[in-house]
Amino acid sequence: MLSRGYGSIGVAEICTRAEVRKGSFYYFFESKQALTIAVVDAHWQAQRSAWTAVLNEPAPALDRLERLFREQAEGQRRTKLTAGAVHGCLLANLALELSRHDSPVQERLQEIFAEQIALVQAALDDAAEEGAIPPPRPGTARSLVAQLEGLVLFAKLGNDPEVLDDLWEQARLLLGTAGSLSSTV
């Protein structure tokens, strides 16, 4: 699903690649949609662990956010080197592909993006408490997540991870800290 999308993969192909019979598939999953939700949940569980590990480090909040953004960009660079293509973000890819077609998957994706926004918001609140930024305006965390996802989308579109080279600098513009901080991560 990450490299080819939801619509281009059918249950028969999934079963063939997993070396299971269709009956076995349907024993574990009611539908392709149910499998997709399970894949999304497993992906987010691993990603959430990585995000929280970085965002809960004992470091200044903006350094933690910078590291998170740089690690996301580095993941796309690694994928390009190992798979020959920038695959983008599974969650955003599915959100774009299924925006009007699959309510349960879309609802789960909305919940996950809300969790991402909350994690970023907590780091912004920490940064404000530290005096690194003024109290964030409503929507700032959502804008930062959108910045991250948007540049990952452009990297995928152009199959060029270098699009992500100034991701953190662009995020700093959204925070109003461009030019006032040196990169420490």
Side-chain angles (χ1 to χ4, degrees):
M1 282 184 211
L2 180 60
S3 63
R4 289 187 31 216
Y6 179 86
S8 68
I9 299 175
V11 172
E13 182 180 353
I14 292 168
C15 291
T16 299
R17 292 190 78 185
E19 298 179 359
V20 299
R21 296 175 190 227
K22 258 189 173 180
S24 296
F25 174 89
Y26 286 110
Y27 177 79
F28 291 102
F29 301 102
E30 181 180 306
S31 63
K32 180 178 160 185
Q33 177 185 78
L35 170 67
T36 302
I37 291 171
V39 167
V40 163
D41 285 341
H43 179 81
W44 174 233
Q45 182 178 10
Q47 190 178 56
R48 182 191 311 121
S49 293
W51 280 42
T52 56
V54 169
L55 293 174
N56 291 330
E57 289 178 344
L62 288 182
D63 289 352
R64 290 180 272 151
L65 275 173
E66 179 180 1
R67 180 163 174 223
L68 175 71
F69 275 51
R70 293 196 187 281
E71 285 186 5
Q72 298 305 301
E74 187 55 35
Q76 298 301 319
R77 285 186 193 88
R78 279 192 307 272
T79 300
K80 170 75 181 214
L81 287 174
T82 60
V86 175
H87 290 169
C89 171
L90 173 66
L91 305 173
N93 293 347
L94 286 170
L96 289 169
E97 185 176 357
L98 302 176
S99 64
R100 296 187 184 185
H101 304 291
D102 199 321
S103 293
V105 174
Q106 196 66 16
E107 289 168 12
R108 182 62 186 124
L109 291 168
Q110 287 174 340
E111 292 168 0
I112 291 168
F113 281 116
E115 288 181 62
Q116 288 182 349
I117 291 164
L119 289 169
V120 171
Q121 183 65 53
L124 292 176
D125 292 342
D126 289 349
E129 273 186 38
E130 294 165 0
I133 61 171
R137 294 189 316 244
T140 301
R142 179 183 304 273
S143 294
L144 287 171
V145 172
Q147 178 72 19
L148 170 62
E149 292 294 346
L151 282 179
V152 168
L153 171 70
F154 284 129
K156 178 182 177 175
L157 181 65
N159 196 32
D160 182 7
E162 290 181 18
V163 168
L164 299 162
D165 286 352
D166 68 347
L167 174 61
W168 179 243
E169 289 73 18
Q170 295 298 322
R172 287 177 46 202
L173 288 171
L174 287 171
L175 293 171
T177 62
S180 64
L181 296 175
S182 62
S183 177
T184 59
V185 176

